[in-house]
Amino acid sequence: MSIDTATGKEAPAEISSERVKDIFSSIAKKYERFNAVSSFGAYKVWLAGMMKQAPIGPDDDVLDIAGGTGDVTFSVARAKHPAHIQCTDLVPEMLDVARMHRDEGAAEGVPVDFDVVDAQDIPYADASYDAVTMAYGIRNMPDRPQALAEMFRVLKPGGALVCLEFSTPPNRVWRALYTFYLKHLIPFWGGLITGDRDGFVYLARSIRAFPDQRGLADLMEDAGFSDVTWKNYTGGIAAVHVAKKPE
């Protein structure tokens, strides 16, 4: 079942997919600055935590889903030095920024290739990757079960999906403050930095409509993953889930 990612209600997939393409194609060159400012730098802590949890070795072939401007791809390259990373995203303009970073040396010698890919229809063979990484991606996909099933399919047995995503603070007071921040400050910062306030109204709504930590773990388990764990960051504003494909 596909949903409107802004509300979580059933809707044609095209509504969300086209919205995401429009938003991210227009803000691609300013997206990194927005991340840094809007999170007060916390996104670096989240990425570092993601790398600590990621079971990726030097011989691994890694698929980065919703790779955007390359934050996760280049974090994996620096922290894990795998054999190869395939960085993919739905939006070509985001990958253009990632290519620029690779050409500037951000991959530190790790081979990185790029493809425009819809994660709900991954064009790679079964059991072809040792690890799949994804940050802030699954929330924007209208058919999340299909996307997770595709990630499961392309993973080798014993491989892992490592997913960083915005989540739900367990503490009621912190959750209320975070909801206020999403509703009012995310659109403010987004409009100020990129000029696209409406796009960031959508992004804030998509975070509020997204399942909590247990809900995302359930989706992963329904797709066939096992040993699903998660760790909260910044009081649960973000969480890193690690899910294994059984051997």
Side-chain angles (χ1 to χ4, degrees):
M1 183 189 77
S2 64
I3 60 170
D4 181 342
T5 55
T7 65
K9 296 180 180 179
E10 186 173 357
E14 294 77 12
I15 291 175
S16 295
S17 296
E18 291 305 315
R19 182 198 294 129
V20 166
K21 288 179 185 177
D22 289 345
I23 291 172
F24 286 98
S25 63
S26 67
I27 68 171
K29 293 182 179 179
K30 299 176 180 178
Y31 178 71
E32 291 168 316
R33 185 182 174 202
F34 167 77
N35 269 354
V37 172
S38 66
S39 73
F40 302 98
Y43 81 106
K44 292 185 178 180
V45 175
W46 305 341
L47 278 173
M50 185 182 187
M51 294 305 103
K52 288 181 181 178
Q53 290 176 245
I56 297 173
D59 297 324
D60 287 350
D61 199 354
V62 179
L63 172 61
D64 189 16
I65 293 289
T69 59
D71 268 345
V72 173
T73 287
F74 302 126
S75 293
V76 171
R78 290 189 295 268
K80 303 293 184 176
H81 303 285
H84 172 256
I85 304 173
Q86 185 72 44
C87 180
T88 68
D89 198 88
L90 184 65
V91 183
E93 290 84 356
M94 296 286 276
L95 292 179
D96 288 342
V97 178
R99 285 190 188 91
M100 178 187 70
H101 291 323
R102 179 197 59 184
D103 294 344
E104 292 170 345
E108 296 190 354
V110 174
V112 176
D113 292 304
F114 302 91
D115 261 337
V116 176
V117 168
D118 181 346
Q120 298 157 129
D121 185 20
I122 298 174
Y124 306 132
D126 295 359
S128 52
Y129 289 95
D130 300 284
V132 173
T133 57
M134 175 174 52
Y136 322 122
I138 191 67
R139 190 184 76 254
N140 291 315
M141 296 173 192
D143 193 340
R144 293 163 184 162
Q146 174 64 20
L148 289 167
E150 281 288 274
M151 295 175 216
F152 184 87
R153 178 184 64 79
V154 300
L155 268 174
K156 296 176 183 177
L161 166 62
V162 187
C163 174
L164 166 62
E165 187 54 87
F166 292 109
S167 201
T168 304
N171 179 275
R172 186 187 308 175
V173 175
W174 188 233
R175 186 165 62 247
L177 291 171
Y178 181 49
T179 299
F180 177 87
Y181 174 77
L182 288 175
K183 188 174 181 179
H184 299 286
L185 296 184
I186 286 291
F188 169 77
W189 286 119
L192 184 67
I193 294 168
T194 73
D196 182 14
R197 187 182 188 281
D198 289 345
F200 286 90
V201 169
Y202 156 72
L203 290 176
R205 290 178 67 195
S206 73
I207 293 170
R208 290 157 60 196
F210 191 67
D212 64 10
Q213 292 88 330
R214 179 69 257 174
L216 178 55
D218 288 343
L219 286 173
M220 291 175 170
E221 289 169 355
D222 289 345
F225 289 99
S226 63
D227 302 322
V228 181
T229 61
W230 68 84
K231 183 175 181 179
N232 288 331
Y233 291 89
T234 317
I237 286 176
V240 175
H241 284 68
V242 179
K244 299 291 183 65
K245 180 172 181 176
E247 297 193 34

